[in-house]
Amino acid sequence: MDLLQVVLSGVLVGMVYALLGLGVVLVFRASEAFNFAIGEFLVVGAFLFFILFFDLHLPLLIALPAGLLAAGAFAAVVEKLTIEPLLGRNPISMTIITLGLASLLRASVQLVFGAHSYPFVMDLPDITLELGDMLFLSEQLWASLLSAAAFAMVILFLFKTRWGVAIRATSESQAKAMAYGINARLILLVVWALSGMCIAVAGIMISNFGSLTYLTAMVGFRAIPVVLVGGMDSIGGALVGGLIVGLCEAFVGAYIEPMGLIGFKNIAPYILLLMVLLVRPYGLFGTVRIERV
Amino acid sequence: MLLSVENLRVVYHDVISVLHGVSLGVNEGELLVIIGANGAGKTTLLRTICGMVDFFDGRVVEGDIKLGGRSIRSLHTTEILKKHRLTYVMEDRPVFWYLTVEENLLAAAHARWDNQVPQDMEEVYSYFPVLRRLKDKRAGFASGGEQQMLAIGMSLMTRPRVLLLDEPSLGLAPLVTEELFQIVGRLNREKGVTVMLVEQNANAALGIGHRGYVMETGRVVLEGRATELLENQDVREFYLGSGEKERKSYRDARRYKRRKRWL
């Protein structure tokens, strides 16, 4: 198979993973908790969009923003109920809570939507690209473009607006932020909503590859190698980690699986993760702490 | 009294009692100094006044805090800062290390955002010219003195009427401390900011203060005008290290136990 095709396909998928990673990194920076319920957030976000777009037949330009807002609101409510009461306490407690949250949400989704799969064809304009003997599918291109756009918007928000400054300040220290009058509780709510929206975009684009079931949540586990390879607290790291995981999958899928190792693609990112962590425990782009000597 | 603390009792983690009935008051426009040894409860007192003590798992068991005659005991920090314009500068240089100096100032102005922000930032730069030079540098790379100046500059961005300063001299060279305290004195005089200054460096603090309290193990044990406190025998002995009692050699000093008890 053409090397360039493999690389570019890897990059396309990698952008979606990067967005997923961003969702985790934002929350980790702000509340120091790892959100293990990411897969369930992804499924809930995709289902919220599914209801608006496929059940209520709203036009895409309304259904997409409304679905994302709903996903953001959902994440904010979850934060308000489960994380906010623990503000100032040990982040490990919050991480454990997200584990419980994952079970609860998974069961709830199954209860409400059942275990069968929903066809998810968004009918976006066909932008399938053929370059020589290379082929990029329309869904992949859309997924990558929208993910990249969402990623860029989050970056702009964080680095160019005063709310972004307040979020970064609160992410560094909730106590200091509170002392200067930044409403840390509100900021955490905003961060979770933002994270929920990122994850929902990724969820919608991933569902668009085929169908949506409660098992789509498994994709959420991809976020773990993404953020650990890139560095838990680094936004740029999420981008690079996403691309690396995407490339890793594409290469393994193209060159190793044909040798008879079917499914190796799914575990390759974790092997890569182990190798990176052995060499750089903070991930490739984890914050190099400012040390005063 | 602009700010009055009445019989305040505070407990951490429901078991560790830190303040056992502290009462004190700050007049409008005053620069009040609180001195006391480590563990006397000075930081807890400031945290309680600004409404942050519950964030550190502390609880007000008894007593009240009044600002301008109204109780602020049960308010959140954000409300106290916004509505009553009381700002707490935490100890150990509370700046955001990974933000630039300018972003730090912007972050501190977040709660009161209005079109006066650029103007106030200019004012901060005029009080602390060194910050203008550093404005695009990450605050974590600034020196200790610069960080403390930034912290006070940030508190000015919140437009405080009352400023609580928690050991601003911590870890600073004596000359830097002196410069910093000069500026704090100027803020108090020129902008009319009421200041409550908690310090270990009793000499420097009482030098710029109007009035002072001495705290020990959760109680106020002494009160007076700053000049009187500087002359006080016990303060001189315990906090200024220049008591005129018998001279002690190093060998005695090792076994030297404090004999004086206040209560």
Side-chain angles (χ1 to χ4, degrees):
Chain A
M1 205 184 287
D2 190 7
L3 180 68
L4 197 59
Q5 163 91 54
V6 175
V7 169
L8 292 178
S9 302
V11 169
L12 291 186
V13 180
M15 270 320 298
V16 184
Y17 290 160
L19 193 61
L20 214 51
L22 182 64
V24 171
V25 167
L26 284 176
V27 163
F28 184 77
R29 279 165 55 105
S31 39
E32 288 174 54
F34 190 98
N35 181 6
F36 278 107
I38 176 166
E40 283 65 33
F41 273 61
L42 184 146
V43 169
V44 170
F47 266 119
L48 286 170
F49 172 77
F50 187 92
I51 293 171
L52 292 170
F53 187 63
F54 292 105
D55 288 353
L56 300 179
H57 302 293
L58 293 174
L60 181 68
L61 282 178
I62 297 173
L64 190 60
L68 293 182
L69 281 180
F74 170 77
V77 169
V78 167
E79 193 275 343
K80 185 88 189 162
L81 293 178
T82 63
I83 302 297
E84 206 208 83
L86 294 174
L87 198 67
R89 303 292 189 278
N90 191 341
I92 295 289
S93 321
M94 301 184 200
T95 306
I96 302 292
I97 284 217
T98 67
L99 277 172
L101 207 57
S103 306
L104 181 75
L105 289 177
R106 197 179 313 134
S108 310
V109 167
Q110 214 178 335
L111 201 65
V112 176
F113 296 98
H116 62 282
S117 72
Y118 289 76
F120 202 105
V121 184
M122 278 166 71
D123 270 334
L124 292 169
D126 190 7
I127 52 167
T128 303
L129 198 61
E130 271 183 86
L131 288 173
D133 55 355
M134 290 189 291
L135 175 72
F136 300 104
L137 295 176
S138 177
E139 289 83 34
Q140 283 189 6
L141 287 170
W142 274 114
S144 182
L145 285 175
L146 288 181
S147 301
F151 202 105
M153 275 159 71
V154 173
I155 299 269
L156 279 180
F157 179 71
L158 284 181
F159 287 88
K160 292 291 170 204
T161 67
R162 75 185 179 92
W163 278 92
V165 171
I167 287 175
R168 285 186 293 140
T170 312
S171 300
E172 203 180 308
S173 160
Q174 289 168 6
K176 289 179 197 172
M178 275 167 74
Y180 290 114
I182 297 174
N183 190 339
R185 288 164 209 277
L186 179 63
I187 294 283
L188 270 185
L189 211 66
V190 172
V191 167
W192 276 73
L194 204 58
S195 157
M197 285 159 84
C198 288
I199 296 170
V201 172
I204 294 167
M205 295 336 283
I206 288 169
S207 306
N208 192 35
F209 291 159
S211 60
L212 172 64
T213 72
Y214 79 102
L215 284 175
T216 310
M218 299 305 281
V219 186
F221 287 120
R222 265 310 178 282
I224 296 172
V226 170
V227 296
L228 288 180
V229 165
M232 287 291 284
D233 53 2
S234 161
I235 290 168
L239 180 62
V240 178
L243 294 180
I244 289 177
V245 170
L247 284 171
C248 172
E249 265 189 32
F251 272 102
V252 171
Y255 295 109
I256 298 184
E257 284 202 341
M259 288 159 39
L261 291 162
I262 304 303
F264 191 61
K265 186 172 143 175
N266 293 325
I267 55 162
Y270 300 96
I271 296 174
L272 180 78
L273 166 64
L274 272 181
M275 292 194 294
V276 169
L277 289 188
L278 278 177
V279 185
R280 288 193 55 120
Y282 285 108
L284 294 177
F285 293 87
T287 305
V288 179
R289 307 237 162 256
I290 296 179
E291 301 261 0
R292 299 175 59 87
V293 284
Chain B
M1 289 279 156
L2 177 64
L3 174 68
S4 64
V5 173
E6 295 161 10
N7 191 31
L8 198 65
R9 283 216 301 132
V10 174
V11 170
Y12 279 118
H13 310 294
D14 285 332
V15 284
I16 308 162
S17 183
V18 179
L19 300 182
H20 326 283
V22 170
S23 298
L24 50 79
V26 194
N27 296 311
E28 175 114 48
E30 190 175 43
L31 204 164
L32 182 86
V33 177
I34 296 178
I35 55 177
N38 296 103
K42 308 182 300 288
T43 296
T44 304
L45 175 65
L46 295 194
R47 280 178 184 170
T48 311
I49 293 175
C50 79
M52 273 181 76
V53 78
D54 54 344
F55 185 82
F56 295 95
D57 203 15
R59 200 161 53 85
V60 181
V61 184
E62 200 185 326
D64 203 358
I65 302 159
K66 287 197 176 118
L67 187 60
R70 277 191 296 167
S71 173
I72 57 168
R73 178 185 145 172
S74 52
L75 297 184
H76 279 303
T77 312
T78 326
E79 288 173 278
I80 294 177
L81 182 135
K82 259 185 173 166
K83 289 192 196 131
H84 298 272
R85 290 175 42 213
L86 177 144
T87 303
Y88 169 45
V89 182
M90 297 200 290
E91 68 188 330
D92 204 14
R93 312 193 282 259
V95 300
F96 302 108
W97 283 27
Y98 296 90
L99 267 54
T100 65
V101 166
E102 189 159 73
E103 282 174 337
N104 266 286
L105 294 173
L106 291 176
H110 183 263
R112 51 141 291 218
W113 201 265
D114 52 41
N115 53 16
Q116 310 265 299
V117 169
Q119 193 182 320
D120 284 5
M121 205 183 285
E122 273 309 306
E123 191 180 8
V124 170
Y125 287 147
S126 72
Y127 273 106
F128 304 100
V130 63
L131 295 182
R132 192 195 300 273
R133 202 160 43 73
L134 295 172
K135 73 184 167 106
D136 293 320
K137 208 166 127 182
R138 280 189 177 193
F141 292 123
S143 74
E146 290 157 355
Q147 286 183 350
Q148 189 61 59
M149 291 183 188
L150 175 58
I152 294 178
M154 285 162 77
S155 71
L156 291 183
M157 294 302 287
T158 64
R159 301 206 143 179
R161 189 159 64 121
V162 185
L163 206 50
L164 312 181
L165 299 180
D166 198 349
E167 270 192 63
S169 77
L170 189 74
L172 302 188
L175 274 178
V176 180
T177 305
E178 199 173 308
E179 189 188 343
L180 195 70
F181 278 21
Q182 290 309 320
I183 298 176
V184 171
R186 266 179 63 202
L187 289 174
N188 174 250
R189 281 195 309 276
E190 294 168 10
K191 289 176 69 73
V193 183
T194 306
V195 179
M196 193 163 156
L197 173 64
V198 157
E199 258 304 329
Q200 296 277 0
N201 188 339
N203 205 8
L206 290 172
I208 58 164
H210 301 139
R211 213 157 53 85
Y213 287 92
V214 177
M215 274 182 78
E216 196 160 283
T217 57
R219 289 188 179 85
V220 170
V221 289
L222 199 61
E223 180 201 346
R225 296 223 316 276
T227 43
E228 289 167 9
L229 286 180
L230 275 172
E231 295 300 316
N232 183 292
Q233 270 303 318
D234 296 323
V235 172
R236 287 176 69 89
E237 184 181 355
F238 296 137
Y239 297 104
L240 305 177
S242 61
E244 280 149 25
K245 298 194 171 172
E246 75 274 30
R247 287 237 162 244
K248 298 175 187 68
S249 78
Y250 268 114
R251 200 181 310 162
D252 297 331
R254 266 201 309 168
R255 267 170 296 165
Y256 166 76
K257 275 213 187 112
R258 187 194 252 175
R259 264 157 273 153
K260 168 93 181 173
R261 285 271 164 248
W262 299 100
L263 294 172

